[in-house]
Amino acid sequence: MSEEDGIICAYAFDGQGAAKPLASPEEIAASRGRPGFIWVPLQLDNERARDWIAGESGLESPIVPAVLNETPRPRCDIHENGLIVSLRGVNLNPGAEPHDMVSIRMWVDERLVISVRRRVLMAIKDIRDDIARASAARTSAAFLAELAGKLVARMDPVLTDLDDQVDALEDRLLTAPSREIRTRLGAIRRQAVALRRHIAPQREATARMVLLTLPWVGHAERDRLREVNDRITRYVEDLDSIRERAAVMQDEVADRVAEQTNRNMYLLSIVAAVFLPLGLITGLLGVNVGGIPGSGASWGFVAVCAMLGVIAIAEILFLRRRRWF
C-alpha cells in the first residue's frame, strides 16, 4: 500500500483470529467476497482516499459524507444493515494536549470496516499490534467493540493523572502559595471541562451500540460494549468530581486571599486610627504662625515627642480595651 493510494493499510480477517495484510486496492477488491471481513483505515486529508471511499468502497452516497465529516460528533446510527460510527480518543501524540481529542469515523457492516482519521490514534496502533500477535478480532462487531474498548482504556491514565494532580493540590493547599495553586487549579478545571465535553457524547454513542439488534452483532459484543459504556459513564462522573473538587479548592483559595486582604486592611485601619490624632497634633504645631506653645523653649521638642508617645499609648490601650485588635 502506498501513500498515493490514501490507504494507510488494509487487512483481511479470516474469522479465526488472524488477519492478512492487503497490499493494494486491487487486493482489497479481490478479498471482499471471501469469509471474514476487511478493515481499511484511511487518511482523511488524502484526496485519493476520499476518491476511493466515494467510488471504490461500495458505500452508498448518503453514507460517504458522514464518513468524511470534518468535525464529527460521537454517534452510532444504523443504516440498513450497517453502522455509521464516530468515536473519539485522547490525543497522545508527542507535544499534543490529551484533551485535544482525536476523532475516528467508521462504516461497519458484517463484511467491511472502513475507518477514517486525520491524526494518529494510539488505539489503532494497539489493534495493529494485536494483529501482529495473531490476536485479531473474529468478527466486525468484535472489532468495533475492541476499538471502543481500547479508546476507553487509553483515557484511563489521563484521567488518573488529572485526579492525582487534584489530590496533590489538596495536600498542598495549606502550605503552597495561593497564587500558584490558583493557577494550577484553573488549568485542571479547563482540562476537565474539555475532556468531559468530548467524552460525554461518546457515552450516548456507546449506549446506542449496546442496544443494537443487527443480526451480525452478538451477545458477547453487546456485553463488551456495555462494559465500555459503564467505564465511560464512570469517567464522566470522575471528571465531574475533579471539576467540583477543583472549584471547591478555588473557592477556598479565594477565601484565603480575601481573608488575608481583609486582615491587612484591618491592620492598616488600626495603624491609621493610631496615627491620625498624632498627625493632627504635629500638623497644628507645624503651622508657621506665632503663639505655638514651647516654640522658644529648648525642651519644646522633647515635650511634644513625649506627649505624642503618651497619646499613642493611650490610643492603643483604648483600642485594646474595645477589643479592636
Side-chain angles (χ1 to χ4, degrees):
M1 204 73 63
S2 66
E3 291 293 335
E4 289 77 11
D5 296 324
I7 301 175
I8 301 169
C9 59
Y11 295 93
F13 294 73
D14 61 4
Q16 303 298 321
K20 181 183 72 172
L22 302 176
S24 66
E26 291 74 22
E27 286 193 23
I28 294 174
S31 300
R32 300 192 67 165
R34 299 172 185 172
F37 68 97
I38 298 172
W39 172 40
V40 184
L42 303 167
Q43 186 70 25
L44 179 63
D45 52 8
N46 188 293
E47 194 64 33
R48 291 289 299 275
R50 291 172 173 269
D51 293 341
W52 186 89
I53 291 177
E56 303 177 43
S57 64
L59 299 184
E60 298 180 6
S61 54
I63 303 172
V64 174
V67 175
L68 296 178
N69 190 356
E70 293 283 347
T71 56
R73 178 182 173 87
R75 61 184 290 194
C76 177
D77 297 325
I78 297 178
H79 183 83
E80 296 183 356
N81 199 36
L83 295 173
I84 300 172
V85 178
S86 293
L87 298 174
R88 287 172 177 161
V90 291
N91 192 347
L92 300 178
N93 293 305
E97 294 292 338
H99 58 267
D100 184 19
M101 303 189 78
V102 181
S103 298
I104 182 169
R105 308 89 166 151
M106 302 177 66
W107 166 259
V108 185
D109 61 28
E110 187 175 8
R111 299 295 183 187
L112 178 64
V113 176
I114 296 176
S115 64
V116 181
R117 52 85 164 169
R118 183 183 295 277
R119 290 174 290 181
V120 175
L121 196 59
M122 294 302 174
I124 295 295
K125 180 179 180 298
D126 294 340
I127 289 180
R128 296 181 68 177
D129 291 341
D130 290 343
I131 292 173
R133 293 191 295 266
S135 181
R138 296 177 180 270
T139 65
S140 57
F143 179 92
L144 176 61
E146 182 178 345
L147 176 60
K150 290 185 182 300
L151 287 172
V152 171
R154 286 285 186 172
M155 296 177 188
D156 188 74
V158 175
L159 270 64
T160 299
D161 178 68
L162 205 60
D163 190 64
D164 290 342
Q165 291 183 47
V166 175
D167 290 340
L169 288 178
E170 283 180 334
D171 294 338
R172 297 183 56 194
L173 184 59
L174 298 178
T175 58
S178 300
R179 181 173 299 177
E180 176 189 352
I181 287 186
R182 185 165 48 184
T183 301
R184 293 189 60 188
L185 285 174
I188 289 174
R189 285 190 68 183
R190 288 191 296 271
Q191 188 171 353
V193 169
L195 285 170
R196 191 192 188 284
R197 185 175 68 248
H198 292 304
I199 293 176
Q202 192 143 315
R203 175 178 55 180
E204 302 170 7
T206 53
R208 295 196 65 180
M209 293 181 194
V210 174
L211 303 177
L212 292 174
T213 57
L214 294 172
W216 49 273
V217 181
H219 292 291
E221 288 79 15
R222 280 194 288 268
D223 290 341
R224 176 70 185 278
L225 290 168
R226 185 176 293 107
E227 179 183 348
V228 170
N229 182 254
D230 290 342
R231 292 184 67 181
I232 293 178
T233 300
R234 179 169 62 84
Y235 290 162
V236 172
E237 293 171 351
D238 289 345
L239 287 170
D240 288 337
S241 175
I242 290 171
R243 185 176 57 180
E244 291 170 3
R245 289 168 60 195
V248 169
M249 283 192 287
Q250 278 189 317
D251 292 341
E252 176 66 21
V253 170
D255 290 343
R256 288 177 56 189
V257 172
E259 182 181 356
Q260 184 177 3
T261 302
N262 292 336
R263 188 184 305 114
N264 294 337
M265 293 299 296
Y266 183 73
L267 180 61
L268 291 175
S269 299
I270 295 295
V271 172
V274 171
F275 283 94
L276 184 61
L278 304 181
L280 175 63
I281 294 174
T282 56
L284 287 174
L285 294 178
V287 175
N288 191 20
V289 295
I292 300 299
S295 60
S298 60
W299 46 264
F301 178 75
V302 176
V304 170
C305 290
M307 179 183 63
L308 293 177
V310 171
I311 293 174
I313 293 173
E315 286 185 296
I316 292 173
L317 292 175
F318 173 77
L319 295 176
R320 291 280 292 182
R321 190 164 186 174
R322 296 294 299 269
R323 300 182 184 276
W324 284 25
F325 68 93

